Amino acid sequence: MKSKNENIVVRMAPSPTGYLHIGSVRTTLFNFLFARHNGGKYILRIEDTDKERNKKEYEDDILNGLKWLGLEHDEFYRQSERTDVYKGYLKKMIDDGLAYVSKEEPKEEGQRDEVIRFKNPNKKIQFDDLVRGSVEFDTTELGDFVIAKSVEEPLYHLAVVVDDHESKVTHVIRGEEHISNTPRQILIQEAIGAERPIYAHLPVIVDESRKKLSKRKHGAAVWLSTYKDEGYLPEAIINYMALLGWNPGTEQEIFTLQELIGVFDFSHVQKSSAFFDVKKLQWVNKEHIKLLPKEGQRKILLKEIENEPYMAGEPDLDVEKISWKKVSKEETLKHLAEAKKIIEENGNLMEYAEREGKGNVLWPVRYALTGAEASPDPFTMLEILGKEKSLKRLERAIMVLNAKI
Ligand code: GLU
């Protein structure tokens, strides 16, 4: 799959029946990478034929999420805008005897007494999946399945096949849950004389106990917006999602989107399920923060520490924690006094710390500024707090220490 092929057309086809799911993000990403790697086209198609379950709010969330990630599409349409197209196909299928209007016995209230069924030729279907290899299905058990409620109301299988055909989709890349839909869709393709696309069904995403990630079990943890709101970088999410079912075949783990486009191919997409590991995502995020320019890093840092007590006011100091390891209070006092002087005079604190031992000097300075065992380094804290506040805090630490000597 390495050769450039500008005729490649892929599509992502989300149904706006829920917020953007991270599984859909992964599917979109693989479609996007495959298209860009090959110089092909990536279509975003909103599958909104199910009027009862669609919501504008969900569609907005999907579009905004994909935009935030930088996964720009080349073409966009909604199935709800194409009712006439499906109607044309349905009418022709009925005229040609490939489908028929079927009288039904309504089983529940409000159920229709008429639907459109596909005339199943009852045959074996075989296809070669880029991920799963050869797949075979006997379609006899599917019977004459329903493809539309009426010529104005197509169902999923019919609409997908018509759209993929009309959009000249060459590769259908989607989640594994759709593998059982493929034989029905191939039957419809054959009936309307559509070319069969190449299929690639991506492995399921599971949690640490190998359970499929689902809204029901995992709640907000399956939504992209949760990670966005928690402050994850889009670059990190893209990078991490790429590793959910794909690997570069090398040791490299940190990738920019451009790098992924360069190396992505289906020969390294795995069949087995992919574990969504939040700890790994956190690590990937940290690595991407390091790649940001200084100003970007600072903004993120400020967001991370905004709720720390030392940001709200002068911290409580534990006199036993001011000194570094076994350094005496007297010596620490000397270092703090000197540090204060250097800061007052805009001198070079690092030079002094290197001379006297970094820990001996920098630990008490950092602790004086934050009163916390863990915080950003003293230079960052000096910058964030500013000279005036920093000097006051150093003065206070000196007082606290003095009182104990
Ligand atoms: N609309 C389907 C879904 O959201 C996807 C259909 C497809 O990719 O063929 O699951």
Side-chain angles (χ1 to χ4, degrees):
M1 289 284 107
K2 279 211 172 84
S3 63
K4 293 272 169 227
N5 185 346
E6 286 169 18
N7 297 325
I8 281 181
V9 179
V10 298
R11 81 317 189 264
M12 173 64 194
S15 304
T17 53
Y19 297 114
L20 181 54
H21 190 291
I22 49 176
S24 300
V25 170
R26 198 269 313 260
T27 305
T28 308
L29 178 63
F30 282 31
N31 271 288
F32 178 90
L33 293 176
F34 185 66
R36 292 290 176 268
H37 180 88
N38 290 290
K41 179 159 82 174
Y42 157 56
I43 301 171
L44 179 60
R45 172 168 83 222
I46 299 291
E47 302 212 322
D48 53 355
T49 50
D50 187 344
K51 289 194 189 68
E52 274 107 67
R53 292 176 60 220
N54 295 323
K55 272 195 192 157
K56 174 82 169 65
E57 185 191 346
Y58 296 144
E59 184 186 303
D60 289 346
D61 186 70
I62 292 168
L63 297 182
N64 291 337
L66 295 179
K67 195 164 172 204
W68 177 70
L69 290 169
L71 301 176
E72 304 272 342
H73 49 260
D74 303 310
E75 213 176 287
F76 175 83
Y77 58 89
R78 291 183 190 84
Q79 287 188 329
S80 56
E81 295 153 0
R82 292 170 51 77
T83 310
D84 284 349
V85 178
Y86 311 125
K87 188 172 171 178
Y89 277 89
L90 282 166
K91 279 187 156 166
K92 182 155 192 315
M93 285 175 84
I94 295 169
D95 288 349
D96 294 350
L98 300 166
Y100 59 93
V101 177
S102 158
K103 296 276 173 215
E104 306 285 312
E105 193 75 45
K107 292 194 189 75
E108 287 165 40
E109 269 240 339
Q111 231 176 24
R112 309 173 173 255
D113 54 8
E114 223 181 76
V115 294
I116 300 174
R117 287 186 179 274
F118 177 70
K119 202 156 194 297
N120 188 343
N122 298 326
K123 57 189 260 192
K124 283 206 172 70
I125 291 286
Q126 185 274 336
F127 64 96
D128 293 311
D129 191 281
L130 285 184
V131 180
R132 315 205 58 88
S134 176
V135 180
E136 268 181 60
F137 251 92
D138 187 349
T139 64
T140 310
E141 64 199 70
L142 302 174
D144 287 355
F145 52 92
V146 181
I147 55 172
K149 295 184 198 165
S150 72
V151 289
E152 309 273 345
E153 299 159 292
L155 291 175
Y156 163 64
H157 293 300
L158 190 272
V160 162
V161 171
V162 167
D163 286 342
D164 286 350
H165 172 51
E166 294 226 325
S167 297
K168 300 191 168 48
V169 168
T170 58
H171 291 72
V172 169
I173 303 166
R174 58 187 178 187
E176 197 181 74
E177 66 275 16
H178 289 293
I179 206 157
S180 59
N181 293 329
T182 306
R184 286 186 187 80
Q185 294 172 9
I186 289 177
L187 288 179
I188 300 173
Q189 279 157 17
E190 291 180 350
I192 65 169
E195 221 176 289
R196 185 189 297 187
I198 294 169
Y199 288 95
H201 286 92
L202 306 178
V204 284
I205 303 176
V206 295
D207 67 10
E208 65 279 354
S209 44
R210 318 300 298 171
K211 297 241 159 58
K212 188 178 170 177
L213 280 205
S214 73
K215 193 172 93 184
R216 199 169 44 80
K217 275 202 210 79
H218 302 90
V222 304
W223 294 327
L224 174 72
S225 58
T226 303
Y227 299 89
K228 178 172 181 259
D229 295 347
E230 283 176 7
Y232 285 92
L233 295 177
E235 299 91 303
I237 293 176
I238 293 268
N239 186 160
Y240 182 62
M241 289 292 163
L243 302 174
L244 278 182
W246 171 84
N247 70 78
T250 64
E251 294 296 302
Q252 188 178 349
E253 292 193 284
I254 299 303
F255 293 89
T256 63
L257 184 58
Q258 282 312 313
E259 287 172 328
L260 288 170
I261 290 170
V263 294
F264 182 84
D265 72 5
F266 271 99
S267 63
H268 289 104
V269 175
Q270 74 200 36
K271 255 193 253 186
S272 51
S273 49
F275 167 37
F276 183 76
D277 182 353
V278 182
K279 290 222 172 65
K280 182 91 186 256
L281 170 62
Q282 284 165 354
W283 175 76
V284 171
N285 195 52
K286 286 219 173 78
E287 293 302 305
H288 276 273
I289 290 174
K290 290 185 198 158
L291 297 177
L292 289 178
K294 268 235 147 5
E295 191 43 36
Q297 289 192 24
R298 206 180 130 83
K299 272 198 200 129
I300 288 171
L301 180 68
L302 281 176
K303 223 159 96 185
E304 278 173 4
I305 62 173
E306 69 184 340
N307 296 321
E308 295 295 337
Y310 55 78
M311 294 301 286
E314 290 199 352
D316 292 332
L317 298 179
D318 177 345
V319 72
E320 298 308 324
K321 286 186 179 156
I322 302 181
S323 300
W324 171 246
K325 294 193 173 157
K326 301 221 154 36
V327 179
S328 70
K329 294 195 173 65
E330 286 81 2
E331 202 187 327
T332 299
L333 195 58
K334 185 189 98 188
H335 292 319
L336 282 177
E338 188 59 26
K340 186 174 162 248
K341 192 159 150 253
I342 292 170
I343 292 163
E344 251 162 358
E345 294 167 357
N346 299 322
N348 192 335
L349 181 62
M350 195 48 149
E351 202 179 85
Y352 176 72
E354 271 168 0
R355 212 172 337 119
E356 299 289 328
K358 280 194 191 168
N360 302 347
V361 176
L362 299 182
W363 172 273
V365 170
R366 195 194 58 73
Y367 185 78
L369 297 176
T370 64
E373 304 214 20
S375 76
D377 67 85
F379 298 97
T380 306
M381 286 314 303
L382 281 167
E383 227 188 288
I384 291 173
L385 294 169
K387 195 165 164 179
E388 199 185 326
K389 268 193 204 161
S390 300
L391 287 173
K392 261 176 117 178
R393 292 185 184 196
L394 286 169
E395 180 63 47
R396 232 180 103 243
I398 290 170
M399 256 171 57
V400 170
L401 260 185
N402 244 330
K404 280 278 174 179
I405 287 173

